[in-house]
Amino acid sequence: MPLGQRAGDKSDSRYCGVEVLDFPAGDGLPAVLSHSLSSAFDFLLAPLVDPEYRPTPGAVLPVAASDLILSPSQWSSHIVGKISEWIDLDSEDEQLRLDSELTLKQEIAWASHLSLQACVLPPPRRSTCANYARVVNNILQGLTNMQLWLRIPLEKKESIDEDHVIVNNNHPMTDIVDSWEWWNSFRLLCEHSSQLYVALDIMSSLPSMNSLGRWFGEPVRAAILQTDAFLTNARGYPCLSKRHQTLLTGFFNHSVQVIISGRSNHNDSQVSEGVLGSDENHTEDTHTRHALSPYLDYIAYLYQRIDPLPEQERFEINYRDFLQSPLQPLMDNLEAQTYETFEKDTVKYTQYQRAIAKALVDKVPDNEVPTTRTVLMVVGAGRGPLVRASLQAAEETGRKLKVYAVEKNPNAVITLHSLIKLEGWESMVTIISSDMRCWDAPEKADILVSELLGSFGDNELSPECLDGAQRFLKPDGISIPSSYTSFIQPVTASKLHNDIKAHKDIAHFETAYVVKLHRVARLAPPQEVFSFSHPNFSPKATNERYTKLQFELPQDTGSCLIHGFAGYFDAVLYKDVHLGIEPNTCTPNMFSWFPIFFPLRKPIYVPSESPIDVHFWRCCAATKVWYEWALMAPSPSPIHNSNGRSYWVGL
């Protein structure tokens, strides 16, 4: 049963599982499953093989149950397999290592036969896990529909042995090992396999929030919440610390499922003594309340307390982490559906109307209103939303307006003519079917309005278009927007990396993508990249740019892996009216632009407290504009997209 109903949320985080601690031999598994489902759990994390099993010649695998004991849909929907925890593929004991490899392959084969959707692998026993990763990588290459979830403790304590530092009285010193390092080594050895995921064990102590933030860019499928992590409230019921609550809320918002694990530490009057005293996970009496039900109730309470998804998020949910090629508005004519999507963004046009109204008031003082008509040109008018915003601003301020609507798309021009006729604007609006860079205007404009911004500000060639159009702007004319700046920040984005890697070529790693970022870890605050101002009448003006940036990660983040850079923009329309998607200053409830993503061909490992140095270029040629980017520290990367070989915007 889902944890609750949250408007717009159809993710897996609605479902909560429970770990079966004791091997359910014989017919025990159906009873355990029935009891758990009737207690509102949605699935089991259950051992598939007797933990006492060790391979011997001719031995039959002692599985928990025949494949016939549950229906295929029950195996697939309600069981996540738990691989035997004794397995140690990096042991110095050769026989244990060989037994572990054989058993792991046998258990995965059995799970695949059962059509399980996933199996949880035991955590690495030491930081060096090359053989474990090798065997898992071999298995992954043969899997088609099943995922493997590597179990990783969020904070691992490891004793330093006699080969390292020993403190007084021969007590080994305890060191805190960053478990993310274990995961990173494992997934690199497994070549960033798209079927390898993480199941995080959440204990009573947590690393810093910056350290935890790294995991939101990793393929975390489950948070295994130990009962020892719970506190007790005044009424004797389980609850979580504020930090644990914040972490779980983040997981809910990133489609991570919770699995409750451990023995009950809280009395519940509805739980029978037998269930509490011995086996936490199975009972013959399906009417008896599950021992871990109080913990499930609290998780459901946390889930139901989350605010509903805003309307904008619901609109964007299907675009999450979906890579899209940026528009080529100069080379291509947009389709009606694209226009319609952008025209629904009322926030954007409200901002434009505010900016135009301020510009009109500044251009025409109150005492000149009866005798002055302002010439306003909308360049790239599309199907007319900026024309409408301009006329509404004129009506709002009581200014007279003459509008030229310049549009190169002949199909959009047809719609423009219909709109002008329908609204009765023939005396105020003149439609020009032409590229703004080629049109000879009959008079100079007081105000030039354009909607040419891309996700990175200049990536849809606003500078080149406005440079060509500003020749018909008066020397004291106003451009709306008047300036815009691009921003980038380093991110961990495993899903995006794997989606690009699936194309098996360099070109896709040298392409910038528009994407609604979701499963990403933002590693440092955004910094400015390129800025443009309009009008720019300087005779030496150039639209080529080059910048060097250095990012410092918070000290308590730990090491991380960079998959690329998220890009944003912020634009000043006029004076104090702005719009943009830069996270710190973004315009609320605006959906016309998703961020842009610049991938790295090879993910770069960043040691703790190491700076990130990146270089970005904006390059121009006669027929195209393109970006190049490269990392210089902590280690150099190739220069991406050299000479625009993989990705460019056509002039």
Side-chain angles (χ1 to χ4, degrees), residues 10-24:
K10 303 296 182 185
S11 70
D12 289 342
S13 60
R14 297 176 295 156
Y15 304 109
C16 184
V18 61
E19 181 173 8
V20 178
L21 300 179
D22 302 307
F23 181 63

Side-chain angles (χ1 to χ4, degrees), residues 475-538:
D476 63 343
I478 296 171
S479 173
I480 298 176
S482 61
S483 66
Y484 38 90
T485 300
S486 53
F487 296 79
I488 61 167
Q489 68 179 150
V491 294
T492 298
S494 293
K495 182 183 185 304
L496 300 184
H497 175 82
N498 281 337
D499 288 349
I500 298 170
K501 189 182 71 168
H503 292 283
K504 299 181 179 179
D505 61 24
I506 290 178
H508 283 83
F509 275 113
E510 297 190 331
T511 298
Y513 299 92
V514 172
V515 56
K516 171 61 178 175
L517 299 174
H518 183 58
R519 284 179 173 265
V520 301
R522 294 170 170 87
L523 302 172
Q527 293 187 28
E528 295 184 10
V529 188
F530 307 133
S531 292
F532 294 87
S533 297
H534 301 286
N536 184 0
F537 294 113
S538 170

